[in-house]
Amino acid sequence: MAGLALTTAAAAQTPEKVRIGYQRSSTLITVLKTNGTLEKALAPLGVEVSWHEFTSGLPLLEAVNIGSIDFSADVADTVPIFAQAAGARLVYVADEAPSPSAQAILVPAGSPIATLEQLKGKKIGVTKGAGSHYLLLAALAKAGLAIRDVTPAYLTPADARAAFVSGNLDAWVAWDPFLASTQSQSGARVLADGTGLASYKRYYLATEDFSKRGDKVLQVLFERLKATGDWVKANPGPAAETLAGLWGIDAATVEKANARRSYKVGAVTPAGLAEQQKIADTFFAEGVLPKKVDASDAANWKPATP
C-alpha cells in the first residue's frame, strides 16, 4: 500500500484537544510552545493543546504508536524506520528539508586524524540507531571501511560528549546543538559532516486515527510550523535568544547550530522518502534493524496547501 494518502475526505469531527510530544531540542515546536501562537491559531476550532516532553525520539514515537499522544515534533530520519520495524501505524505529516551539515564526525582539536580512512582502529562514540549512526556507516563505507574496522562506543549524546571531551574517544558523531556546543567549548574539529553522505531530514508524525479525525488541526499545525521555520531563518538573533535560555546554551552557539538546519517545512512525498529506504536497508544489513522495512508502506497526510 505504497504512499497511502490521507485527506480531508477521511476526516471526522474535529477533536477537542491535540496532545503534542516533543523533545527539548525540538526547535520549531519549542518556539511555538513558548510564544503561544499555536494555541491562538487553534482557538477558532475550539481545540486545546497539551504538551508532553520526551527524552529522545524512539520513546516519543512509541507514545504516538500506542495513542498516548496525537502528534510528534520532529524526529531524525532514522527514528520512523525503527517505528515501522516495530509495526507502528504512524502517518508522516511534514518534513524539514535536508540539513547535512547539522551532524558531523568530530575529532579533538589536536587529533592527528585528518581523513576518514584514518578512523580505522579508532574508538568512535555514536548513538545507536540515530541519524549519526547512519552517517558513521556511510562515512566508513566511503572510506572503504566497515563498522568492524573501528571500535564503536554506543552512548547517549550526554555520555558521548563527556567521554569525548575527557579524551576517552578518538572521534564522536554528533548533531546540533550538541555539535555546535562542543565545537565552541572544546575547539573540536569537524572531520566530515553529512554532505554527500547523509541528508539528515527530520519528520513530523501523527497517529493514524488523529490523521483522520484531526485534518483541520494538522493543517493549522503544518502552516504554523512552516511560518515558524521561516521566522527562525529570517530572524537568527531573536530566535537564538529565545532558545538559549530554554536549552541552557549561549545564544551565539544556538545561532551557529540553527544556521546549519534548513527549518524548511514541507509536505512529505513518496519521492522524498527515497533515502528512508536506503537507511532501512543499511541498518538491516548491519543487523541494527530486526527485519526488512519498506519505507513506502508509511502513510502520508496531505496538506490542503503545500
Side-chain angles (χ1 to χ4, degrees):
M1 190 166 56
L4 175 65
L6 298 166
T7 64
T8 53
Q13 184 177 0
T14 302
E16 296 179 353
K17 177 184 287 188
V18 57
R19 299 165 299 171
I20 298 177
Y22 68 100
Q23 301 173 72
R24 192 175 175 214
S25 59
S26 301
T27 306
L28 303 187
I29 285 291
T30 296
V31 172
L32 283 173
K33 182 177 182 293
T34 301
N35 64 25
T37 56
L38 181 60
E39 283 90 344
K40 292 177 183 177
L42 288 173
L45 297 177
V47 177
E48 296 181 358
V49 181
S50 64
W51 305 94
H52 307 267
E53 186 173 353
F54 291 79
T55 56
S56 62
L58 284 174
L60 174 52
L61 287 200
E62 287 171 7
V64 177
N65 185 42
I66 64 174
S68 60
I69 63 170
D70 305 304
F71 180 83
S72 165
D74 59 302
V75 293
D77 42 17
T78 59
V79 180
I81 295 298
F82 283 93
Q84 277 189 266
R89 299 292 297 172
L90 305 176
V91 178
Y92 284 101
V93 174
D95 64 20
E96 288 181 15
S99 302
S101 63
Q103 57 178 1
I105 301 173
L106 285 178
V107 294
S111 172
I113 299 173
T115 67
L116 291 173
E117 288 78 7
Q118 291 174 324
L119 290 174
K120 186 173 183 178
K122 303 303 183 184
K123 187 176 182 181
I124 305 172
V126 66
T127 301
K128 193 169 188 176
S132 56
H133 191 179
Y134 177 68
L135 171 57
L136 176 61
L137 294 173
L140 292 175
K142 181 181 179 181
L145 301 173
I147 198 71
R148 63 180 176 273
D149 295 314
V150 302
T151 302
Y154 295 115
L155 300 166
T156 65
D159 289 342
R161 175 178 174 147
F164 180 77
V165 298
S166 64
N168 292 320
L169 294 173
D170 298 300
W172 173 33
V173 196
W175 64 89
D176 279 320
F178 303 105
L179 174 61
S181 177
T182 306
Q183 283 182 284
S184 297
Q185 294 180 10
S186 74
R189 176 167 50 86
V190 170
L191 180 66
D193 63 23
T195 303
L197 296 171
S199 295
Y200 191 48
K201 295 177 70 174
R202 298 187 69 87
Y203 293 95
Y204 298 82
L205 300 102
T207 66
E208 192 172 50
D209 175 65
F210 196 83
S211 70
K212 297 173 182 176
R213 296 186 300 110
D215 184 80
K216 292 180 180 179
V217 178
L218 292 180
Q219 185 65 43
V220 171
L221 267 164
F222 182 81
E223 291 169 358
R224 293 314 312 159
L225 285 168
K226 279 191 69 174
T228 303
D230 292 343
W231 178 83
V232 169
K233 297 305 285 187
N235 300 275
E241 290 289 346
T242 297
L243 294 164
L246 299 170
W247 288 352
I249 303 173
D250 65 277
T253 299
V254 174
E255 190 168 341
K256 181 177 181 179
N258 283 349
R260 293 190 286 224
R261 285 277 296 275
S262 74
Y263 294 127
K264 184 175 177 58
V265 176
V268 178
T269 66
L273 292 174
E275 191 174 32
Q276 292 296 88
Q277 189 61 56
K278 190 175 179 180
I279 292 169
D281 292 343
T282 298
F283 276 168
F284 179 73
E286 292 290 335
V288 180
L289 271 185
K291 65 178 183 180
K292 288 188 175 181
V293 167
D294 184 348
S296 67
D297 280 343
N300 297 338
W301 174 83
K302 289 187 176 182
T305 52

